[in-house]
Amino acid sequence: MTDADVRLVDMTLRDGMHAVDHQFTPEEMGEVAAALDAAEMDVLEVSHGDGMGGSSINYGFAAADTEEYLDAVVPELNDTELSVLLLPGIGTVEEIDMAIDRGADICRVATHVTEADISEDHFTYVKDRGLEANGLLMLSHMAEPERILHEAELMQEYGADAVYVMDSAGALLPSDVRDRVGLLADELDIEVGYHAHNNLGLGIGNTLAALDAGATTVDGCLRGLGAGSGNAQIEVLVGVLDKAGYDVNPDFFGVMDAAEDVLVPMISDDEMPELDNDSLMLGYAGVYSSFLRHTRRVSEKYDLDPREILVALGEMEVVGGQEDLITDVAARLAEERDAETTTEAASDD
């Protein structure tokens, strides 16, 4: 941790990968990393959007492998710490070793909010290798605060240095954030973090609620780049926190310049997240934010409204890793629509 009140973790080169279909080049990553280091960002995370090992037919192939990305980023970092993401079942021990050999300082281990028990071996290995280990409880809107505390206590027992409430669907309201983060902050002996998505327009507001409830480390992305309608916009967050009286390390102008002068020229208009009807439905239905771009592609194939698919996925309480269900749901909805159309035509005859 830093001496500042809040540690800021920039996700542009990890969660932001979802927005660009994981197509950042190593050279682009190096440019963004250099700008964030110059702005004195606390932590920078680099991985495929679904963590190390995520580059695959299931989650989307990245433009390069994690090794190439780290080799491009590490030389650009002086004081900014480097984090990598690992999801048990996707990432491997070999990738942890590779990241450590290339200078990673932090490994964040992410599980579904009710499945912390699958992460024990991963925390043990990361801690044995001398890295900071943070636990991420994804889709935290899908569990009550007491259950989240139980899962967080498991991660603490396994050796986690911090546990995050991850609003992976952007579905939490400020009161929900306070209830979850506040309980963890009161009961855990380690740091508590919060990760926002902006699908209900609450990315910054929910982050402030988390800090007010006791979080000490929070995430964001330049220009809010990320899955769904994006993450908390980190240059906005730096300015808001400074205005609110928090002590933060990153330089406000420097982070603004990293967004405006470095990131924006790399991003096409259709890659920049926006709070439109589809991403709003993610938050309303409680669907994992990374499902959005996949859902849009499938909806075009089946000539469906993406919102219909997202509502159905929300009713099924899908979790990360079940992206294959998007096509199944769309095919079923299209079949039901076609059957109804046939029935109506027969009735007219």
Side-chain angles (χ1 to χ4, degrees), residues 26 29 48 55 62-71 98:
M29 282 205 172
H48 183 278
S55 183
D65 60 32
T66 305
E67 183 175 351
E68 293 175 276
Y69 287 134
L70 294 179
D71 283 344
M98 178 275 297

Side-chain angles (χ1 to χ4, degrees), residues 197-224:
H197 278 265
N198 201 45
N199 299 327
L200 294 178
L202 295 170
I204 297 295
N206 278 351
T207 302
L208 288 173
L211 291 168
D212 186 57
T216 56
T217 178
V218 295
D219 294 352
C221 291
L222 296 172
R223 282 297 167 95

Side-chain angles (χ1 to χ4, degrees), residues 38 92 94 104 121 124 134 143 152 175 180 191 201 233 251 276 288 314 323 334:
T92 65
E94 289 76 18
D121 291 343
T124 299
N134 294 336
S175 58
R180 288 159 172 75
E191 303 290 336
Q233 190 168 338
D251 175 68
D276 58 12
Y288 201 62
E323 285 84 352

Side-chain angles (χ1 to χ4, degrees), residues 71-84:
D71 283 344
V73 166
V74 169
E76 306 297 340
L77 302 182
N78 295 301
D79 297 320
T80 298
E81 291 186 294
L82 174 63
S83 171
V84 292

Side-chain angles (χ1 to χ4, degrees), residues 70-334:
L70 294 179
D71 283 344
V73 166
V74 169
E76 306 297 340
L77 302 182
N78 295 301
D79 297 320
T80 298
E81 291 186 294
L82 174 63
S83 171
V84 292
L85 176 69
L86 182 134
L87 277 65
I90 298 178
T92 65
V93 166
E94 289 76 18
E95 284 156 331
I96 296 175
D97 288 338
M98 178 275 297
I100 293 171
D101 290 343
R102 275 159 176 76
D105 303 292
I106 303 164
C107 182
R108 308 211 303 176
V109 180
T111 75
H112 182 59
V113 66
T114 59
E115 296 177 359
D117 59 349
I118 69 173
S119 65
E120 181 174 6
D121 291 343
H122 304 80
F123 280 109
T124 299
Y125 190 83
V126 170
K127 294 299 292 184
D128 284 348
R129 288 299 313 271
L131 266 69
E132 178 181 334
N134 294 336
L136 312 181
L137 294 171
M138 301 185 294
L139 289 169
S140 286
H141 74 283
M142 297 181 71
E144 293 301 314
E146 292 74 16
R147 178 59 188 273
I148 295 174
L149 174 61
H150 169 72
E151 302 294 326
E153 288 174 333
L154 288 178
M155 287 185 164
Q156 176 177 267
E157 178 185 331
Y158 301 155
D161 297 291
V163 175
Y164 266 73
V165 172
M166 298 281 284
D167 188 12
S168 315
L172 294 176
L173 301 176
S175 58
D176 301 322
V177 175
R178 292 190 187 94
D179 289 345
R180 288 159 172 75
V181 171
L183 184 60
L184 267 58
D186 288 343
E187 298 296 332
L188 297 180
D189 298 320
I190 57 177
E191 303 290 336
V192 177
Y194 178 70
H195 174 103
H197 278 265
N198 201 45
N199 299 327
L200 294 178
L202 295 170
I204 297 295
N206 278 351
T207 302
L208 288 173
L211 291 168
D212 186 57
T216 56
T217 178
V218 295
D219 294 352
C221 291
L222 296 172
R223 282 297 167 95
L225 195 71
S229 62
N231 296 70
Q233 190 168 338
I234 202 161
E235 64 271 25
V236 175
L237 189 55
V238 171
V240 168
L241 293 180
D242 181 67
K243 192 174 179 67
Y246 285 94
D247 181 15
V248 295
N249 278 327
D251 175 68
F252 185 31
F253 284 10
V255 180
M256 292 172 70
D257 291 344
E260 183 76 17
D261 300 335
V262 180
L263 178 70
V264 169
M266 299 177 181
I267 307 299
S268 65
D269 289 343
D270 67 330
E271 291 171 332
M272 193 64 72
E274 61 176 329
L275 185 47
D276 58 12
N277 287 347
D278 298 341
S279 54
L280 173 60
M281 188 55 65
L282 286 173
Y284 186 82
V287 176
Y288 201 62
S289 293
S290 65
F291 277 51
L292 181 59
R293 292 178 73 85
H294 300 297
T295 299
R296 282 176 168 160
R297 282 192 286 266
V298 171
S299 69
E300 291 180 4
K301 176 181 178 181
Y302 288 91
D303 192 24
L304 291 166
D305 186 329
R307 294 173 295 180
E308 295 180 63
I309 302 173
L310 292 170
V311 167
L313 291 168
E315 291 172 348
M316 295 169 64
E317 297 187 339
V318 293
V319 301
Q322 293 182 313
E323 285 84 352
D324 57 315
L325 292 178
I326 298 172
T327 300
D328 293 344
V329 167
R332 173 175 59 81
L333 292 174

